[in-house]
């Protein structure tokens, strides 16, 4: 695996690109996928993304509530 980004916005971008590339480079989504309720806020700041290694060697990417404040950052375990 390549070196992970250190900034949250770079990590989110890397995860999006990984998901798209895994699905052949593109996906079709309904317009409702971009509603304020789906994204969390106009800038998407109400949600955070978690990337967790699985025992079978895959990675689980999931949406989580964003931690309070602006110090969420990227945490590697």
């Amino acid at each position: 695996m390549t070196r992970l980004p250190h900034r949250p916005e770079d990590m989110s971008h890397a995860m999006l690109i990984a998901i798209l590339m895994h699905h052949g480079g593109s996906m079709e989504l309904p317009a409702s996928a971009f509603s304020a309720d789906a994204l969390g806020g106009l800038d998407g700041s109400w949600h955070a993304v978690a990337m967790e290694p699985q025992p079978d060697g895959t990675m689980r990417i999931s949406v989580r509530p964003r931690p309070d404040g602006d110090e969420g950052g990227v945490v590697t375990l």
Side-chain angles (χ1 to χ4, degrees), residues 17-56:
I17 297 302
I19 291 167
L20 288 172
M21 292 306 291
H22 181 73
H23 288 279
S26 66
M27 294 179 72
E28 293 183 17
L29 300 172
S32 60
F34 296 94
S35 70
D37 287 342
L39 296 176
L42 293 178
D43 64 355
S45 64
W46 292 348
H47 297 312
V49 178
M51 185 170 71
E52 302 165 282
Q54 301 299 297
D56 64 359

